[in-house]
Amino acid sequence: MSEELVNPDVDPAFAERYDALLEKLASVYGTDDELVVMGGEGILGLEAAIASTVGPGDHVVCLSNGPYGDGFADFVESYGGEATVVSADYDDPLPVDELERTLADHDIDLATMVHCETPTGTLNDLGPALDLFDDHDVLTVVDAVSSLGGAPVPADRIDITLGASQKCFSAPPGLAVCAVSDAAWERIEARDPDSLYTNLLPWHEAEQPYPYTHLTTLVVALDRALDLLLEEGLDAVYERHRETAALCRERGLELGLEPYPGPARSSPTVTAFSVPGRATELQERLRTEHDVTLSTGFGDLADDVLRVGHMGYNADPQKVERAMDALADALYRRG
């Protein structure tokens, strides 16, 4: 990021670097879909996907077992769409049986899902739902912000797959990345969205790779982060995340802490431990006494879940050992 800045609008060197960045992203996504890198953090990608595909009267099913899955409905309704939320409790799998009934009873235009729900540490199995959406010819939008680059994502089966620079890529926040299928572009072109900066269509129609002045420093940072990931190799990266997650949960069980929602569905990028009524207290003790920062849950789980992030640069056994040693001290000293 300390490289001398170049003008992204006129210097061909930056355009070449951006093209190379897209090729690296394609390797991570594992898809031939067109890629877009937008100037804004990951939520911009989520809103842009909905703003570009949903209009008044469109029927969208939001499949959810977490806060971000629920939140897709807010985006849908803000652009005039009709959201049907098919939801399960946050510690349950995606409700595929209920989804099947909903698809049979309603004419659905689009579907949304979340691959990794970081507030609960859940990695969702998208396969059964994607099978149903294929059967009913429903376009899909998936939030993979906190799994892309840390766990395999079935992007080749998804119409719009959303990621971001700051999670498993360990680059600074500020870029939203999207893989958009041909079928999704057809829908977007037919709609001709009214939105401006949240509209994906200018990226598809631009004569050069990007329609607006790009965020040069963030682009070169993401480019270098992708170099590090691809030099290590995707299989090795995924295994590192799995091993680090297993270590974190093993240490937690030794302390009497149960993963939320349970080890079978816990994400390799984040572990949520159930600590009813103690999350905020433990977070503060870890920060002030050990200089270790952990997250709590969201909403109703704000004081009941403590989260250890082990994604990207932090998918490192030594870092997890230090965090869990600190957590052990905080628990034992309290008795």
Side-chain angles (χ1 to χ4, degrees):
M1 293 177 71
S2 63
E3 289 183 9
E4 181 180 356
L5 291 177
V6 297
N7 188 319
D9 297 321
V10 298
D11 193 325
F14 184 82
E16 291 171 4
R17 188 159 193 172
Y18 183 79
D19 287 340
L21 169 70
L22 296 184
E23 291 182 8
K24 296 167 189 176
L25 270 178
S27 296
V28 177
Y29 268 104
T31 178
D32 294 328
D33 290 345
E34 184 176 345
L35 295 169
V36 172
V37 179
M38 306 180 75
E41 83 74 57
I43 290 294
L44 173 65
L46 273 64
E47 180 165 358
I50 300 304
S52 302
T53 57
V54 175
D58 287 339
H59 295 272
V60 180
V61 63
C62 301
L63 188 62
S64 174
N65 61 350
Y68 284 107
D70 293 344
F72 262 124
D74 296 331
F75 286 128
V76 169
E77 291 170 356
S78 71
Y79 286 95
E82 298 179 12
T84 298
V85 181
V86 178
S87 62
D89 290 340
Y90 287 0
D91 55 351
D92 285 336
L94 291 173
V96 176
D97 290 343
E98 185 180 348
L99 172 65
E100 189 169 15
R101 292 191 291 270
T102 300
L103 292 175
D105 295 340
H106 297 82
D107 185 16
I108 300 296
D109 302 300
L110 188 80
T112 67
M113 293 185 291
V114 175
H115 191 212
C116 176
E117 280 278 7
T118 45
T120 60
T122 302
L123 188 75
N124 285 315
D125 178 8
L126 303 182
L130 289 172
D131 290 340
L132 287 174
F133 293 135
D134 286 343
D135 291 342
H136 290 267
D137 197 26
V138 174
L139 288 180
T140 51
V141 174
V142 170
D143 170 359
V145 168
S146 54
S147 57
L148 186 68
V153 178
D156 58 335
R157 299 193 59 198
I158 301 165
D159 290 294
I160 302 181
T161 309
L162 303 163
S165 55
Q166 80 275 18
K167 296 290 186 178
C168 300
F169 296 147
S170 291
L175 296 176
V177 299
C178 318
V180 186
S181 72
D182 291 342
W185 285 124
E186 289 175 9
R187 179 178 178 85
I188 295 169
E189 289 175 318
R191 279 204 62 249
D192 192 17
D194 294 328
S195 58
L196 299 175
Y197 199 67
T198 53
N199 186 352
L200 291 172
L201 195 55
W203 296 83
H204 186 57
E205 296 180 338
E207 294 182 2
Q208 59 180 12
Y210 35 87
Y212 316 116
T213 300
H214 223 310
L215 283 64
T216 52
T217 302
L218 293 178
V219 167
V220 299
L222 178 57
D223 182 56
R224 181 60 186 137
L226 289 170
D227 284 341
L228 295 172
L229 189 153
L230 293 172
E231 286 167 8
E232 183 177 354
L234 287 175
D235 289 341
V237 169
Y238 298 154
E239 182 61 24
R240 172 165 55 84
H241 280 77
R242 286 190 293 266
E243 290 179 353
T244 306
L247 171 64
C248 183
R249 286 155 205 161
E250 180 182 340
R251 289 292 311 275
L253 289 172
E254 291 172 358
L255 298 175
L257 299 177
E258 292 289 337
Y260 183 104
R265 292 187 293 107
S266 293
S267 172
T269 62
V270 57
T271 295
F273 288 115
S274 181
V275 290
R278 296 196 60 191
T280 303
E281 167 221 337
L282 289 168
Q283 179 190 49
E284 180 65 12
R285 289 172 66 90
L286 289 165
R287 184 183 65 81
T288 57
E289 297 175 12
H290 297 277
D291 195 26
V292 169
T293 302
L294 301 185
S295 298
T296 61
F298 284 7
D300 293 341
L301 297 175
D303 201 30
D304 296 332
V305 165
L306 192 66
R307 296 183 288 150
V308 182
H310 39 72
M311 61 180 68
Y313 178 76
N314 283 324
D316 180 331
Q318 290 184 336
K319 292 183 173 63
V320 167
E321 290 281 18
R322 180 186 171 197
M324 297 307 291
D325 286 346
L327 181 55
D329 182 74
L331 290 167
Y332 287 145
R333 287 177 62 187
R334 175 68 182 269

